[in-house]
Amino acid sequence: MVPTDATAEIRLADSAEAASFSTFVQGFLSANGFPFVIIHDAPEVAGHMRRVVFEDARVSRKFAQEWVRLRGTLGQA
């Protein structure tokens, strides 16, 4: 079982941000040695939501921090 702190919840504003998220995930995995990851849609939550689950909580935290940083540089934070 994956510890809960290995999960990052990402809320996407629109389809353009969803496309940006997809590109970000590909780059993140490549830059970090392709860690094992599961990405779930979370339809029970209003809006676009993804649950990103890594085996390692450190990788999950790094992923979330880098996504927030990227959103800030895009003016979406």
Side-chain angles (χ1 to χ4, degrees):
M1 186 166 134
V2 176
T4 56
D5 64 349
T7 301
E9 291 192 347
I10 307 295
R11 186 175 307 275
L12 304 170
D14 54 28
S15 59
E17 190 173 39
S20 176
F21 177 73
S22 179
T23 301
F24 172 77
V25 168
Q26 293 171 8
F28 182 86
L29 294 177
S30 178
N32 288 280
F34 295 97
F36 178 76
V37 64
I38 300 172
I39 301 175
H40 302 278
D41 285 333
E44 71 278 8
V45 180
H48 302 279
M49 180 76 126
R50 303 287 188 276
R51 283 195 183 100
V52 183
V53 183
F54 291 93
E55 286 183 306
D56 184 330
R58 286 178 294 127
V59 175
S60 182
R61 284 189 296 274
K62 180 178 180 184
F63 177 85
Q65 290 169 346
E66 289 185 18
W67 174 248
V68 168
R69 189 175 313 122
L70 173 67
R71 288 182 72 196
T73 62
L74 297 175
Q76 300 174 355

